[in-house]
């Protein structure tokens, strides 16, 4: 191990940027700390304007090569990156768990495999991209997707590798070149991804990774005139700042933002299924944008739902996420835990009643918050409208379908919703009326990469997935050709 690398869970990780196919240091550093036990993991190179300029310039140079690379060859390289992730699955899972606090079993079984799948999927989708030509009075309209240029990708800390690949894979598949700025709270697997991409044969500069703080590296990146697209996943508040910076250059943006998603349970629902999915919203200590944190249950089954929920939640184990038996790990930082606690105390002060949790879990460690459930929450309470991003759920009852929809839509967000009912007709009615980018019926978090993903209202701008991703990372061009002489 050198001063420019860190050994994390037995894996050597570079702490420098990856720019133009080389490791690049910075004069300044920031400290990356594990939420599991508060120990410092590494001193990470801290980018500013200089490093961002270098990365954008490297991406621009590489665009001349990668943007003109044949789709079949781009697909081959992307498949190789996916295979590289699969070969290093155990290492990536271990590092990501140590860095972000996510459950190791989830990293090994679903999260890291999904990161590899992102590359394989978009590699395959690239080679089949297209629509039938359109005929207009003998003229042929042919649609082309031409790479947009240099794209800036700013990714969050809660599922850093998977959410980075969710953007990097389609951007590279389109022929665009990338400057990736991972979240400063969990940057390590982005550094490993750069190594994997290099080993897979990706041209130098096609993927660049700059590490740093949002207000420094992130701000420099989104205001850079050499950036052609900006894709961001994170908070609505940060998105407003990015949108203002991007507006000065008229840079198109794609945002996947916060949520306050509802989980609706009707009286004809499979209660065991609904309860299991409701308790499952504590996954990753509630640090999931999609989490359905507002439980809305028909009054006829409310008491039974609550009884079964508390019974099941009592079996959850909180502790070190590297332990196979752990169900809930830590919050990401001290500041974030204190923010969650402020939400909880405000709710209690305004009359809500915590029937589960309601405080930090000092027995587990410094950054662990007990799974919390509020009932008897007054209408208009902050806890019903603001995204907590922690293991805090609310439970409300409704009398009929009309009230259920009204409660579900009583938020400025619209990322997702979950609906549990035994009636196909009701499912169709309610899913049509609920404001959400995705509605799951009698299930949760089932994702097909061919389908669009994104939010309504203040939960985002644009859609990702399948052809929707290519529509953003490419310039969609229509070529209209008149009939050639001699054509029949």
């Amino acid at each position: 191990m050198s001063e420019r690398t860190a050994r994390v869970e037995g894996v050597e990780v570079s702490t420098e940027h990856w720019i133009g196919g080389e490791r690049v240091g910075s004069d300044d550093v920031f400290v990356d700390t594990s939420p599991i036990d508060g120990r410092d993991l590494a001193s990470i190179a801290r980018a500013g304007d200089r490093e961002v300029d270098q990365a954008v310039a490297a991406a621009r140079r590489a665009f001349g090569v990668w943007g003109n690379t044949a789709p079949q060859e781009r697909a081959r390289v992307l498949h190789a990156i996916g295979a590289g992730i699969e070969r290093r699955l155990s290492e990536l899972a271990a590092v990501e768990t140590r860095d972000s606090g996510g459950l190791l079993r989830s990293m090994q079984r679903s999260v890291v495999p999904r990161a590899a799948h992102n590359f394989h999927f978009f590699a395959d989708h690239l080679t089949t991209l297209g629509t039938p030509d359109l005929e207009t009075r003998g003229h042929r309209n042919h649609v082309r997707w031409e790479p947009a240029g240099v794209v800036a990708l700013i990714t969050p800390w809660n599922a850093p590798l998977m959410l980075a690949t969710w953007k990097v894979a389609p951007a590279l598949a389109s022929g665009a070149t990338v400057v990736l700025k991972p979240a400063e709270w969990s940057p390590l697997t982005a550094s490993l991804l750069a190594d994997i991409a290099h080993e897979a044969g990706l041209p130098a500069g096609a993927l660049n990774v700059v590490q740093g703080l949002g207000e420094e590296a992130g701000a420099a990146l989104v205001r850079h005139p050499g950036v052609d697209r900006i894709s961001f996943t994170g908070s609505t508040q940060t998105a407003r700042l990015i949108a203002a910076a991007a507006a000065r250059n008229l840079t198109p943006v794609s945002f996947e933002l916060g949520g306050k998603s509802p989980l609706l349970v009707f009286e004809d629902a499979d209660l065991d299924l609904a309860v299991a999915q409701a308790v499952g919203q504590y996954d990753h200590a509630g640090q999931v944008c999609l989490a359905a944190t507002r439980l809305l249950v028909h009054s006829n089954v409310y008491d039974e739902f609550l009884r079964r929920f508390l019974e099941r939640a009592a079996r959850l184990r909180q502790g070190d996420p590297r332990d196979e038996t752990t169900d809930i790990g830590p919050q990401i930082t001290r500041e974030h835990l204190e923010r969650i606690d402020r939400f909880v105390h405000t709710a209690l002060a305004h009359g809500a009643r915590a029937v589960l949790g309601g405080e930090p879990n000092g027995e587990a460690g410094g950054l662990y918050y007990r799974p919390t459930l509020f009932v008897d929450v007054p209408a208009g309470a902050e806890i019903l409208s603001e995204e907590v991003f922690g293991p805090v759920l609310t439970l409300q009852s409704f009398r009929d379908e009309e009230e259920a929809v009204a409660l579900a839509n009583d938020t400025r967000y619209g990322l997702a919703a979950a609906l549990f009912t035994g009636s196909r007709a009701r499912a169709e009615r309610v899913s049509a009326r609920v404001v959400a980018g995705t509605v799951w019926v009698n299930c949760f978090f089932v994702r097909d990469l061919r389908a669009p993903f994104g939010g309504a209202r203040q939960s985002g701008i644009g859609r990702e997935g399948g052809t929707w991703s290519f529509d953003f990372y490419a310039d969609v061009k229509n070529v209209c050709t008149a009939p050639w002489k001699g054509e029949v």
Side-chain angles (χ1 to χ4, degrees):
M1 183 174 67
S2 73
E3 292 182 358
R4 293 173 294 184
T5 63
R7 186 166 292 278
V8 179
E9 298 294 291
V11 181
E12 190 164 330
V13 185
S14 173
T15 60
E16 295 187 318
H17 315 291
W18 179 256
I19 299 174
E22 298 178 346
R23 288 294 173 182
V24 175
S26 290
D27 295 333
D28 296 325
V29 298
F30 64 94
V31 177
D32 180 32
T33 302
S34 173
I36 297 175
D37 51 18
R39 293 183 181 178
D40 293 346
L41 298 178
S43 293
I44 308 293
R46 180 172 173 172
D49 287 350
R50 182 189 66 185
E51 294 86 352
V52 168
D53 283 342
Q54 291 174 348
V56 172
R60 181 62 60 191
R61 290 191 298 271
F63 181 62
V65 176
W66 185 246
N68 291 306
T69 298
Q72 292 292 346
E73 175 60 14
R74 293 205 302 266
R76 185 195 66 78
V77 174
L78 264 63
H79 276 305
I81 297 174
I85 292 173
E86 290 163 345
R87 283 193 299 272
R88 300 190 67 178
L89 188 152
S90 296
E91 295 179 359
L92 290 163
V95 171
E96 183 119 312
T97 291
R98 192 77 169 104
D99 202 16
S100 71
L103 297 183
L104 180 59
R105 71 179 192 226
S106 295
M107 296 296 168
Q108 292 172 331
R109 298 171 190 173
S110 60
V111 179
V112 178
R114 167 65 184 276
H117 176 62
N118 286 340
F119 278 98
H120 291 310
F121 171 85
F122 283 107
D124 290 336
H125 196 70
L126 163 65
T127 61
T128 61
L129 186 65
T131 61
D133 288 349
L134 304 173
E135 190 274 332
T136 306
R137 299 188 302 277
H139 295 62
R140 182 174 68 97
N141 292 271
H142 177 70
V143 178
R144 298 171 54 92
W145 283 263
E146 298 184 349
V150 176
V151 303
L153 307 179
I154 301 178
T155 53
W157 48 264
N158 56 328
L161 179 64
M162 192 274 286
L163 291 177
T165 62
W166 171 233
K167 298 181 185 294
V168 171
L172 291 176
S174 76
T177 52
V178 171
V179 180
L180 169 65
K181 209 295 281 185
E184 56 264 36
W185 292 341
S186 54
L188 298 180
T189 48
S191 182
L192 293 175
L193 177 62
D195 294 335
I196 292 169
H198 176 65
E199 293 165 3
L202 187 68
L207 171 63
N208 306 274
V209 179
V210 290
Q211 302 160 139
L213 308 186
E215 58 268 30
E216 297 173 354
L221 186 56
V222 299
R223 67 171 178 256
H224 201 290
V227 168
D228 299 296
R229 297 286 191 277
I230 300 168
S231 181
F232 168 72
T233 296
S235 73
T236 303
Q237 180 180 1
T238 301
R240 292 192 181 99
L241 299 176
I242 294 174
R248 287 191 281 271
N249 297 314
L250 289 180
T251 308
V253 297
S254 175
F255 292 154
E256 194 264 279
L257 307 175
K260 195 69 178 175
S261 300
L263 186 150
L264 297 93
V265 182
F266 287 89
E267 58 184 327
D268 59 353
D270 179 336
L271 272 193
D272 285 336
L273 173 63
V275 167
Q277 295 292 353
V279 174
Q281 304 308 306
Y282 290 128
D283 183 46
H284 200 12
Q287 300 168 133
V288 179
C289 58
L290 290 166
T293 57
R294 295 183 297 134
L295 310 180
L296 309 177
V297 180
H298 194 282
S299 55
N300 288 353
V301 294
Y302 177 94
D303 290 340
E304 181 62 15
F305 178 92
L306 177 58
R307 184 189 69 79
R308 296 191 197 185
F309 181 98
L310 294 175
E311 183 180 83
R312 190 179 185 98
R315 299 197 293 268
L316 294 174
R317 294 173 60 93
Q318 188 167 34
D320 191 321
R322 295 169 295 185
D323 188 328
E324 177 74 17
T325 64
T326 295
D327 299 304
I328 300 178
Q331 311 308 137
I332 188 69
T333 64
R334 168 60 55 184
E335 292 79 10
H336 189 59
L337 180 138
E338 290 174 351
R339 177 179 180 273
I340 294 168
D341 201 40
R342 284 196 298 272
F343 272 113
V344 169
H345 280 281
T346 299
L348 292 170
H350 286 83
R353 185 163 58 94
V355 292
L356 182 70
E359 61 184 0
N361 184 354
E363 297 173 3
L367 295 182
Y368 295 77
Y369 207 92
R370 296 187 188 278
T372 298
L373 177 67
F374 280 113
V375 299
D376 301 334
V377 183
E382 176 191 62
I383 200 71
L384 295 175
S385 60
E386 296 299 320
E387 184 179 40
V388 178
F389 219 62
V392 180
L393 309 180
T394 59
L395 177 60
Q396 299 168 273
S397 67
F398 60 83
R399 296 180 300 275
D400 53 33
E401 194 173 298
E402 194 68 26
E403 186 179 15
V405 171
L407 288 171
N409 290 338
D410 188 20
T411 170
R412 68 178 184 274
Y413 296 109
L415 186 55
L419 163 64
F420 293 86
T421 178
S423 166
R424 183 192 301 267
R426 175 181 286 122
E428 292 176 353
R429 287 194 306 270
V430 174
S431 61
R433 296 180 63 195
V434 169
V435 178
T438 300
V439 179
W440 283 288
V441 178
N442 295 329
C443 60
F444 187 76
F445 202 43
V446 178
R447 285 285 291 117
D448 187 323
L449 290 183
R450 295 170 296 181
F453 176 79
R457 292 178 174 168
Q458 293 189 22
S459 286
I461 297 173
R463 293 292 183 269
E464 298 178 283
T467 304
W468 287 271
S469 288
F470 286 89
D471 287 346
F472 179 72
Y473 295 117
D475 288 319
V476 183
K477 176 186 290 184
N478 180 54
V479 179
C480 182
T481 305
W484 294 100
K485 289 182 180 180
E487 279 191 345
V488 177

